């Protein structure tokens, strides 16, 4: 049986959470441009702008092995993302900027009925152990 604790995200979890994001996206940190895009698009906003909506699953050593994070308000997310994160993506490449715009457009289609969204990832070695089922209620609370 895996001993897992769920707790609020803390600044000390940042690199571990970022690595979990990359591992679940099947991206090597050595692939700098792709890794930077993935982190800007799917991680950094949440842990930097809304850490109160971030929770981590930790192992017996209090190391993050999974996370859930999200935003409650799409409009706030969109405004901050476009001001602070999109310009960084544009510097990576025009292709990545287009991908980001498509992703934002996809979120926007549902904002009226679903103004919140979340991301959840668990390291492969800890998947299928019910961790996601423990993380999601923390965010919803």
């Amino acid at each position: 049986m895996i001993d897992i604790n769920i707790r609020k995200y803390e600044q000390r979890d940042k690199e571990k959470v970022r690595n979990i994001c990359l591992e679940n996206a099947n991206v090597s940190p050595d692939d700098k441009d792709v890794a930077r895009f993935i982190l800007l698009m799917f991680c950094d906003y949440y842990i930097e702008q809304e850490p109160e909506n971030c929770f981590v699953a930790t192992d017996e050593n209090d190391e993050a092995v999974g996370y859930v994070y999200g935003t409650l308000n799409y409009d706030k997310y969109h405004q901050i993302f476009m001001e602070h994160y999109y310009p960084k993506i544009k510097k990576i490449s025009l292709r990545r900027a287009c991908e980001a715009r498509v992703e934002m457009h996809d979120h926007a289609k549902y904002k009226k009925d679903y103004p919140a969204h979340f991301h959840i990832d668990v390291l492969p070695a800890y998947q299928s152990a019910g961790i996601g089922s423990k993380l999601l209620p923390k965010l919803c609370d």
Side-chain angles (χ1 to χ4, degrees):
M1 184 73 165
I2 300 172
D3 185 27
I4 295 295
N5 182 46
I6 309 297
R7 63 168 171 75
K8 292 282 276 181
Y9 167 85
E10 298 172 4
Q11 182 62 32
R12 66 184 172 101
D13 300 315
K14 184 175 184 174
E15 287 311 308
K16 188 68 176 175
V17 165
R18 292 175 99 231
N19 287 334
I20 293 167
C21 179
L22 292 175
E23 186 166 341
N24 277 274
N26 200 27
V27 172
S28 168
D30 296 332
D31 192 347
K32 301 284 187 211
D33 284 347
V34 175
R36 185 155 167 70
F37 170 71
I38 293 295
L39 294 172
L40 286 167
M41 196 72 221
F42 301 109
C43 184
D44 292 349
Y45 167 85
Y46 306 96
I47 60 178
E48 293 171 1
Q49 302 296 326
E50 297 192 48
E52 69 278 9
N53 296 324
C54 304
F55 296 88
V56 293
T58 60
D59 64 12
E60 62 278 354
N61 298 314
D62 200 35
E63 291 290 321
V65 298
Y67 61 77
V68 64
Y69 44 63
T71 182
L72 300 177
N73 181 314
Y74 175 84
D75 290 328
K76 173 188 167 190
Y77 159 77
H78 184 266
Q79 178 186 355
I80 294 170
F81 183 87
M82 294 306 287
E83 284 178 22
H84 298 282
Y85 298 89
Y86 182 74
K88 295 174 185 176
I89 291 171
K90 259 176 96 171
K91 287 181 181 177
I92 296 170
S93 74
L94 182 56
R95 178 176 152 238
R96 295 297 181 192
C98 289
E99 290 175 22
R101 286 220 176 255
V102 168
E103 182 76 22
M104 297 304 285
H105 180 264
D106 288 348
H107 281 291
K109 289 190 295 189
Y110 303 104
K111 76 174 190 165
K112 183 178 178 207
D113 293 326
Y114 306 101
H117 69 266
F118 69 92
H119 297 271
I120 187 168
D121 279 312
V122 176
L123 287 173
Y126 292 86
Q127 291 175 4
S128 299
I131 294 172
S133 297
K134 293 178 182 177
L135 280 165
L136 201 50
K138 290 290 189 180
L139 179 62
C140 292
D141 287 345

